[in-house]
Amino acid sequence: MTGPLVNIFSDYSGEHKKSTYHVTSILYMDMESFSSWEPLRRTIRKNHLADGRRLSFKSLGDRHKQRALVPFLNAANQIEGLCITIAIKKSLKALCAGEESFTLFQDNLNFESAWQQNSFEKMLRVAHFISLFVAGLSKPSQHIYWISDEDSLFANLKKAQDLKQMLSRFTSYYVKHPLGELGIGTTSLDEGDRFEEDLAAIPDLAAGAVSELLTKLCASYGGIIHPSIVIPFSGTFSPKTELLISWLGDRSQRLKKVVILFEKQGNGSFSVSRLNMP
């Protein structure tokens, strides 16, 4: 990914009570692969989604979106980039900021918004992940633009300013080479052609599928997933998740996919591992 412009799209899943994991999915892409993706995307919109419907994991009960899903995933495979999905057990409440750290942040940084600890923890996690990927994947002088789903992290301008501040701090610490512009926004900037919405749909689909997958595996395996142990699963997944699991496990495409699992261990610590998709 050596082009002059990199776009990052992110989406989130697992906020509902039944989910056992908080999931963040991030698409990191070289915009020079736009020429391969865009004609395919426009054809899919013309054939299946001409009325401007938004493609998302939650809305795949719609028959038009069901027909669009396979060609959409095939088109996404033409993107030069990486789709990284990170699942964190909900019982791991303070990876970035415990009560003491939360108070220190609040007292020493000039935040625009009043944060609750849970949402502040989520904000720090996402800013950390984005910054680490920029540090590891970017090239000198590249322009980096992060576009998020309109999540609670971007509920208002003040929260967005605080997130931008933390992203700037973390990238300044982690990135050891000069960057071009570093911008941040949400899918609300979409001009009506669904370009940004369709790219954000890729991490949306990945996050939704991984949330369902891990929640059901966790319940089946007694409350904890051991990535190094192969255990048969006798349950079933929804058809959309079955399809997306297969897509996430395909390592032969230009778009690479990785699923990272943060799992709480019995001794109170946690493990971090790559989840191998079937």
Side-chain angles (χ1 to χ4, degrees):
M1 292 179 279
T2 58
L5 175 61
V6 167
N7 273 11
I8 301 171
F9 294 85
S10 60
D11 211 309
Y12 321 94
S13 185
E15 297 298 330
H16 52 287
K17 292 183 179 180
K18 291 183 179 180
S19 176
T20 317
Y21 297 83
H22 287 299
V23 182
T24 298
S25 189
I26 296 165
L27 173 65
Y28 190 103
M29 66 175 289
D30 187 334
M31 288 303 290
E32 286 193 341
S33 63
F34 170 84
S35 59
S36 300
W37 150 264
E38 182 61 4
L40 298 171
R41 184 189 78 88
R42 287 188 176 275
T43 298
I44 294 164
R45 284 245 153 237
K46 180 181 178 181
N47 292 341
H48 302 290
L49 304 169
D51 59 358
R53 300 179 195 212
R54 181 187 178 193
L55 196 62
S56 69
F57 183 80
K58 290 180 180 178
S59 67
L60 285 176
D62 182 309
R63 59 186 179 87
H64 296 283
K65 296 178 183 181
Q66 291 171 0
R67 292 170 183 165
L69 182 58
V70 170
F72 181 85
L73 295 176
N74 289 337
N77 281 331
Q78 302 306 310
I79 293 172
E80 187 72 32
L82 180 63
C83 184
I84 311 163
T85 304
I86 305 132
I88 302 173
K89 194 70 164 285
K90 284 187 176 179
S91 54
L92 295 172
K93 298 186 181 298
L95 283 180
C96 297
E99 289 186 14
E100 183 176 342
S101 300
F102 175 62
T103 301
L104 286 172
F105 273 118
Q106 295 285 76
D107 291 344
N108 292 285
L109 297 177
N110 295 318
F111 289 124
E112 298 283 341
S113 181
W115 291 86
Q116 298 297 317
Q117 186 168 351
N118 288 343
S119 57
F120 186 73
E121 170 74 18
K122 179 180 178 181
M123 184 263 277
L124 288 185
R125 291 179 184 184
V126 175
H128 259 116
F129 293 146
I130 298 291
S131 301
L132 286 169
F133 299 146
V134 170
L137 298 171
S138 67
K139 303 297 180 185
S141 301
Q142 279 183 326
H143 301 303
I144 311 287
Y145 295 101
W146 170 26
I147 301 169
S148 172
D149 177 61
E150 294 181 82
D151 182 76
S152 58
L153 295 178
F154 295 85
N156 54 56
L157 182 59
K158 289 183 177 181
K159 285 189 177 295
Q161 289 293 338
D162 291 344
L163 181 51
K164 185 176 181 179
Q165 178 191 166
M166 296 312 299
L167 180 69
S168 178
R169 288 178 179 274
F170 291 147
T171 52
S172 296
Y173 181 79
Y174 291 125
V175 181
K176 303 305 181 183
H177 50 262
L179 295 174
E181 295 180 2
L182 180 63
I184 183 171
T186 72
T187 50
S188 63
L189 58 79
D190 192 288
E191 296 180 350
D193 65 351
R194 295 300 191 195
F195 176 74
E196 286 81 11
E197 292 274 11
D198 285 341
L199 285 167
I202 296 171
D204 174 285
L205 293 167
V210 169
S211 179
E212 180 183 328
L213 168 72
L214 293 179
T215 295
K216 289 191 174 182
L217 289 179
C218 185
S220 178
Y221 296 164
I224 187 169
I225 296 174
H226 300 277
S228 60
I229 302 175
V230 178
I231 304 174
F233 175 66
S234 58
T236 59
F237 303 112
S238 65
K240 60 184 179 182
T241 292
E242 290 275 8
L243 177 60
L244 286 162
I245 290 171
S246 177
W247 177 74
L248 286 166
D250 184 356
R251 299 183 182 180
S252 66
Q253 306 297 329
R254 293 179 70 191
L255 179 63
K256 305 306 178 185
K257 302 104 172 176
V258 178
V259 178
I260 304 296
L261 175 64
F262 284 70
E263 181 63 70
K264 189 170 185 179
Q265 300 300 308
N267 59 4
S269 64
F270 65 90
S271 62
V272 183
S273 58
R274 176 173 178 170
L275 189 68
N276 292 316
M277 310 298 286

